[in-house]
Amino acid sequence: MAENGEGLGTVPEHERILQEIESTDTACVGPTLRSVYDDQPNAHKKFMEKLDACIRNHDKEIEKMCNFHHQGFVDAITELLKVRTDAEKLKVQVTDTNRKFQDAGKEVIVQTEDIIRCRIQQRNITTVVEKLQLCLPVLEMYSKLKEQMSAKRYYSALKTMEQLENVYFPRVSQYRFCQLMIENLPKLREDIKEISMSDLKDFLESIRKHSDKIGETAMKQAQQQKTFSVALQKQNRVQFGKNMYFNDRIPEERNEVELKRAFEEEDENEEEGDEETFENYYRKQRKKQARLVLQPQSNMGYGFPVNRLFDLLFEIRDQYNETLLKKWAGVFRDIFEEDNYSPIPIVNEEEYKVVISKFPFQDPDLEKQSFPKKFPMSQSVPHIYIQVKEFIYASLKFSESLHRSSTEIDDMLRKSTNLLLTRTLSSCLLNLIRKPHIGLTELVQIIINTTHLEQACRYLEDFITNITNISQETVHTTRLYGLSTFKDARHAAEGEIYTKLNQKIDEFVQLADYDWTMSEPDGRASGYLMDLINFLRSIFQVFTHLPGKVAQTACMSACQHLSTSLMQMLLDSELKQISMGAVQQFNLDVIQCELFASSEPVPGFQGDTLQLAFIDLRQLLDLFMVWDWSTYLADYGQPASKYLRVNPNTALTLLEKMKDTSKKNNIFAQFRKNDRDKQKLIETVVKQLRSLVNGMSQHT
């Protein structure tokens, strides 16, 4: 009777299961079928009988459906057979019509081919005319260049060369005669340079011969200028003030701007006849001539001491440098604020040359890459480099007027530049690194930027050497301290990376929402942990541009911090109860952490070094998953212990939380022998762990 009662009770249940199988998605069939096996002992056999009956019913319905539509299918086949004859007749008619059209179009095809040949000839003629029209202006300009060279009109010849290279040659660069012209231009420029240098020397020599007359004329004009009326002086002063405000505030600054403009034009257009070479030569020769003119003769040294005057000038120079440092601090801050902290993208050769002209960067691998490509540093690097050079120019402007030797001026420039690097730029970098809005990606870019700026310091030393003509091999030459400046900034950025990375991990861990009393695990890792691992994978991809040790340290620090956070979550004093299901779910999350560590997110780790960050968690969870307390207690303190990293305090804390859960969830534990045995085992292990902990404390 009991079996019949059970059989009657299971029939509706089987019908419900069959309805779920037919109506639900295939992904959810597993739990439904599992309920068949979880039922009474004969439920499976009865379910199979019910399933066979259901299949037979569906077969009958399919047969009825086929019988219902069979006559329509036969009628459709009959209609197709009737149409077959008409289709064959239509095919014969279409074939005949096509043949007639082909015969009628042969003459049209012949005429069309003649027209095509004529059109091709016309197009070729038009192309030849266009190409000749492009070539004729080039030939005319080159002929004009030859005439200017013959007439010794060298400045006009240089302008003509510029037009040829920038306007005319690009239009016909594919022709051989154009390449020959291009190859001949450097020789013409060299000829102009030699002739111009000779003329410049003759001009300087004539100035030296007539310097007394030039000075006399200049003094007379200065005296006449002083005798102007007061009204005219006021008018001139007002007008002069406006001009100075809009152009250059003081004559000293005007000279600086003109020199700067000269250098910029020389950078933009190298075809100005080596203007910088002539300008430097002219300045040096005029300085020598000025010293010869101003040097007193032996019967004119006056005897007044000027040491205090020079001391005052040196003090003013120090104040001037301090003012410059404050000004450039603002310049650096603006550059850092405007930077996007992304590698500089370049799409063509022109953009590549523009960046190279601003910053000395050499990378054969990058040069071989095809466009578009990217420089490793961001936009602030060339801007900082340019501004350091501008600072050197500004510092030189004052130092060169102190009548000191070139060696002393060189030393002054290097010391001023060192202050700019070690104090001003270093302070700006440290402030930038500590700003809250600077994230991990920006910090990585800052480390890359400082590396390239440090490498550029030797080019700044060469730059100062070229200005002062003092060799770096001189015994007393001061070196630039870029190494310490950028090294300190990198260390600060690395420390900030570790801190922000750990903060980001804490933000993910705070999203953890474990059900510490669950009876069974979910069967998959927690969502917050998978999001955290995906974040770490993406951020470590960015770290591939960092030096290897930095990326490895960041990865190890992140894994250790994650392991510590997970351990603290288990041992939290506010967490009073933990079920075995929660421990199993937590174990799934730790397995994902170990898989992440073994996937080598950052190259360079040897063996399972990164996985050791989770060894404490792994041994603790293995002990609770296997419930191997006898081995733990027997081997504790032994070097070869299987659970060497499990602290008795940690194990005791977690076990007491599981003991409380066991008591709460098993209300009828006293009526089931297995539960009573497990509860006794937990209490026994707790007592043993407490005695072990007490013994350790007494020994300590």
Side-chain angles (χ1 to χ4, degrees), residues 401-445:
S401 301
L402 296 179
H403 303 289
R404 311 304 293 176
S405 65
S406 299
T407 304
E408 292 174 316
I409 293 177
D410 181 89
D411 190 61
M412 294 177 188
L413 287 180
R414 292 177 185 273
K415 289 181 179 179
S416 300
T417 307
N418 276 332
L419 284 176
L420 180 72
L421 295 177
T422 58
R423 194 171 74 183
T424 305
L425 181 56
S426 177
S427 176
C428 292
L429 279 171
L430 293 177
N431 291 334
L432 172 68
I433 289 169
R434 297 190 182 101
K435 287 188 175 181
H437 70 276
I438 297 297
L440 291 170
T441 305
E442 289 80 4
L443 289 171
V444 171
Q445 189 62 54

Side-chain angles (χ1 to χ4, degrees), residues 130-153:
E130 291 177 353
K131 298 301 181 183
L132 288 175
Q133 289 176 347
L134 284 176
C135 294
L136 284 176
V138 179
L139 297 174
E140 291 175 355
M141 288 297 292
Y142 194 77
S143 177
K144 179 181 178 182
L145 173 62
K146 288 293 188 179
E147 293 177 358
Q148 291 170 343
M149 291 292 294
S150 301
K152 298 182 179 181
R153 296 166 55 196

Side-chain angles (χ1 to χ4, degrees), residues 91-141:
K91 180 180 179 181
V92 173
Q93 292 178 359
V94 170
T95 303
D96 184 59
T97 303
N98 179 59
R99 180 180 55 77
K100 293 179 180 179
F101 271 117
Q102 293 293 336
D103 294 339
K106 288 182 180 179
E107 184 177 354
V108 177
I109 292 173
V110 173
Q111 294 179 358
T112 303
E113 290 177 351
D114 293 338
I115 293 174
I116 291 173
R117 283 195 296 270
C118 292
R119 292 287 175 83
I120 292 174
Q121 290 176 356
Q122 290 178 353
R123 185 180 60 188
N124 291 340
I125 292 172
T126 303
T127 302
V128 171
V129 171
E130 291 177 353
K131 298 301 181 183
L132 288 175
Q133 289 176 347
L134 284 176
C135 294
L136 284 176
V138 179
L139 297 174
E140 291 175 355
M141 288 297 292

Side-chain angles (χ1 to χ4, degrees), residues 67-256:
N67 291 334
F68 178 77
H69 293 285
H70 179 265
Q71 186 59 40
F73 176 75
V74 172
D75 294 340
I77 294 297
T78 304
E79 291 294 330
L80 286 174
L81 291 175
K82 292 179 180 179
V83 174
R84 182 177 182 180
T85 304
D86 296 334
E88 291 178 352
K89 293 180 181 179
L90 180 61
K91 180 180 179 181
V92 173
Q93 292 178 359
V94 170
T95 303
D96 184 59
T97 303
N98 179 59
R99 180 180 55 77
K100 293 179 180 179
F101 271 117
Q102 293 293 336
D103 294 339
K106 288 182 180 179
E107 184 177 354
V108 177
I109 292 173
V110 173
Q111 294 179 358
T112 303
E113 290 177 351
D114 293 338
I115 293 174
I116 291 173
R117 283 195 296 270
C118 292
R119 292 287 175 83
I120 292 174
Q121 290 176 356
Q122 290 178 353
R123 185 180 60 188
N124 291 340
I125 292 172
T126 303
T127 302
V128 171
V129 171
E130 291 177 353
K131 298 301 181 183
L132 288 175
Q133 289 176 347
L134 284 176
C135 294
L136 284 176
V138 179
L139 297 174
E140 291 175 355
M141 288 297 292
Y142 194 77
S143 177
K144 179 181 178 182
L145 173 62
K146 288 293 188 179
E147 293 177 358
Q148 291 170 343
M149 291 292 294
S150 301
K152 298 182 179 181
R153 296 166 55 196
Y154 301 117
Y155 182 79
S156 301
L158 288 175
K159 291 298 182 182
T160 303
M161 289 184 191
E162 181 182 353
Q163 292 182 358
L164 281 171
E165 289 181 331
N166 297 334
V167 179
Y168 292 97
F169 282 166
R171 301 175 182 174
V172 293
S173 58
Q174 68 272 24
Y175 300 118
R176 187 169 178 272
F177 78 89
C178 180
Q179 296 297 327
L180 294 176
M181 292 179 181
I182 294 174
E183 294 172 0
N184 194 34
L185 288 186
K187 183 178 181 301
L188 295 177
R189 277 202 177 88
E190 192 63 30
D191 294 342
I192 293 174
K193 180 179 178 181
E194 293 177 359
I195 296 171
S196 300
M197 182 61 75
S198 177
D199 293 343
L200 179 59
K201 291 179 180 178
D202 295 340
F203 171 70
L204 291 173
E205 184 178 355
S206 65
I207 290 178
R208 181 69 182 90
K209 292 179 180 179
H210 303 90
S211 60
D212 52 348
K213 295 181 180 180
I214 294 174
E216 181 181 357
T217 304
M219 295 295 290
K220 290 180 179 180
Q221 292 179 354
Q223 184 63 30
Q224 293 175 0
Q225 184 71 24
K226 290 182 179 179
T227 59
F228 284 167
S229 64
V230 177
L232 183 58
Q233 287 178 357
K234 290 183 178 179
Q235 181 180 358
N236 289 340
R237 189 179 301 113
V238 173
Q239 185 63 31
F240 181 71
K242 293 181 179 179
N243 294 335
M244 294 296 286
Y245 178 80
F246 288 106
N247 298 326
D248 308 294
R249 287 177 293 276
I250 57 175
E252 295 273 343
E253 294 182 359
R254 184 189 298 120
N255 293 335
E256 179 181 351

Side-chain angles (χ1 to χ4, degrees), residues 290-464:
R291 292 192 185 101
L292 291 175
V293 172
L294 297 176
Q295 184 176 0
Q297 301 177 3
S298 59
N299 57 356
M300 296 177 63
Y302 294 101
F304 294 103
V306 293
N307 292 333
R308 296 180 62 183
L309 177 60
F310 281 113
D311 293 339
L312 177 61
L313 289 175
F314 287 144
E315 292 180 4
I316 295 175
R317 181 206 64 188
D318 295 337
Q319 294 297 325
Y320 177 74
N321 283 336
E322 288 297 325
T323 302
L324 290 180
L325 291 175
K326 292 179 181 178
K327 175 183 177 182
W328 257 262
V331 172
F332 290 151
R333 285 195 297 268
D334 293 340
I335 291 175
F336 289 140
E337 287 295 331
E338 295 172 359
D339 194 7
N340 59 3
Y341 298 99
S342 300
I344 303 175
I346 45 176
V347 298
N348 51 44
E349 186 70 23
E350 289 72 17
E351 293 184 3
Y352 183 84
K353 290 181 178 179
V354 168
V355 178
I356 293 297
S357 65
K358 295 179 180 179
F359 182 76
F361 180 83
Q362 295 179 353
D363 187 354
D365 295 334
L366 183 63
E367 293 179 0
K368 295 177 183 178
Q369 295 179 13
S370 59
F371 292 101
K373 50 189 176 182
K374 295 181 179 180
F375 283 97
M377 64 277 187
S378 66
Q379 194 64 49
S380 63
V381 173
H383 290 170
I384 291 292
Y385 183 79
I386 291 173
Q387 286 303 320
V388 173
K389 292 174 68 175
E390 291 295 326
F391 174 85
I392 294 173
Y393 278 130
S395 181
L396 173 65
K397 200 66 183 174
F398 190 93
S399 299
E400 67 180 0
S401 301
L402 296 179
H403 303 289
R404 311 304 293 176
S405 65
S406 299
T407 304
E408 292 174 316
I409 293 177
D410 181 89
D411 190 61
M412 294 177 188
L413 287 180
R414 292 177 185 273
K415 289 181 179 179
S416 300
T417 307
N418 276 332
L419 284 176
L420 180 72
L421 295 177
T422 58
R423 194 171 74 183
T424 305
L425 181 56
S426 177
S427 176
C428 292
L429 279 171
L430 293 177
N431 291 334
L432 172 68
I433 289 169
R434 297 190 182 101
K435 287 188 175 181
H437 70 276
I438 297 297
L440 291 170
T441 305
E442 289 80 4
L443 289 171
V444 171
Q445 189 62 54
I446 289 173
I447 292 177
I448 297 172
N449 289 351
T450 54
T451 302
H452 290 285
L453 285 172
E454 178 184 331
Q455 295 171 355
C457 282
R458 60 188 181 93
Y459 295 101
L460 290 176
E461 291 184 343
D462 295 338
F463 178 71
I464 296 175

